[in-house]
């Protein structure tokens, strides 16, 4: 049941991740420089939010391209794909 | 674009909510009786988890019945439904 | 190491919980009446947010009255209380 | 009211962040290579959990060193510090 990644927004997704990587490197400098914990925690919250937004963007893409589109062609695969997506959403909600 | 609720697991969903209601009433008694805050917080975490599980169960049902099933019948509605579901997931993840 | 509940904002906390209970009962009616899942999910997100706000309010009270106040009287208890609070926060963040 | 960072576990905190940075770079490769979205989402959930654990570890350290310890020396600062910590926890819970 493998499928190519949901590629349409690839540039946007890559850019979001580079930004998160920058935030994580910023956090490393904050720890290295003994910055005040509360400021570090605020930066962690920002990075977590950015990761969540990345995930939600990827997920919407996935639902359009890998759930609704195959379903529209019929076949028994739709329910399996929905279950798989629902499991990924549950992991996301609980992470 | 309204649609009937995703009814198949209605009894299960109703039972989960009655249990959450019981947890909330338990919390009210804990506050009333001045129970130790940490124990009250533990009970809040349990109720929040139960609400999340309820939401994830409802969401999976919704994706099967109200996203994948209409998509399999074709029509232009699938993308709108996916967007709507993605928005609901985003609210859930951020709540 | 038990301690009375953090009572100062008892009325406010009780009122918040009554409101959450009302939201849960509203959810039960929505399921009963086969309301559209997306609307039900929106209401779940609202109830989850309300529970989180309740928990954060209770937690702040707890940190003032049951962590900072005992610490200010000295004694070896402060670290144990902080650990206990940190564990409760972890459960909350992950719920 | 500034204060040095909570330094005791600096090595452990730095190591956790390097690991998260590795996870984010892994995510960039997954997007680059068009990996299947569900696998990418699973990796996002893992990175988010790792960030949360980092934050909770930093927060516990902070509560011990920057809330309980100053409180034990007395002074009017304790409540302000608790409020500040409670605000950071709220941002974390909601991120």
């Amino acid at each position: 049941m493998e499928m190519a990644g949901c590629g349409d927004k690839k540039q946007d997704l890559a850019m979001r991740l580079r930004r998160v990587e920058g935030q994580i490197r910023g956090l490393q400098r904050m720890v290295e420089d003994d910055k005040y914990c509360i400021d570090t925690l605020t930066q962690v919250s920002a990075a977590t939010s950015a990761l969540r937004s990345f995930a939600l963007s990827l997920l919407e893409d996935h639902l359009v391209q890998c759930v609704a589109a195959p379903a529209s062609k019929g076949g028994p695969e739709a329910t399996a794909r929905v279950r798989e997506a629902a499991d990924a959403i549950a992991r996301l909600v609980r992470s």
Side-chain angles (χ1 to χ4, degrees), chain A residues 75-91:
Chain A
E77 227 189 62
T79 306
R81 285 210 170 275
V82 165
R83 180 129 312 156
E84 184 192 53
D87 289 346
I89 294 164
R91 282 192 295 273

Side-chain angles (χ1 to χ4, degrees), chain A residues 16-48:
Chain A
R16 283 164 181 267
L17 285 177
R18 278 196 299 276
R19 218 178 293 139
V20 174
E21 192 193 336
Q23 289 173 305
I24 305 297
R25 287 167 171 283
L27 279 167
Q28 288 174 311
R29 279 190 301 276
M30 293 179 90
V31 167
E32 186 59 40
D33 299 349
D34 290 314
K35 290 294 184 210
Y36 187 50
C37 310
I38 294 292
D39 298 330
T40 309
L41 285 170
T42 301
Q43 176 76 352
V44 176
S45 297
T48 305

Side-chain angles (χ1 to χ4, degrees), chain A residues 39-61:
Chain A
D39 298 330
T40 309
L41 285 170
T42 301
Q43 176 76 352
V44 176
S45 297
T48 305
S49 287
L51 262 182
R52 290 231 179 277
S53 293
F54 168 82
L56 291 169
S57 180
L58 183 62
L59 179 65
E60 183 172 346
D61 239 35

Side-chain angles (χ1 to χ4, degrees), chain A residues 3-10 13 57-73 77 81:
Chain A
M3 220 179 173
C6 305
D8 266 12
K9 303 195 293 185
K10 195 164 160 174
L13 291 170
S57 180
L58 183 62
L59 179 65
E60 183 172 346
D61 239 35
H62 176 72
L63 290 174
V64 171
Q65 295 186 35
C66 308
V67 177
S72 71
K73 292 176 201 149
E77 227 189 62
R81 285 210 170 275

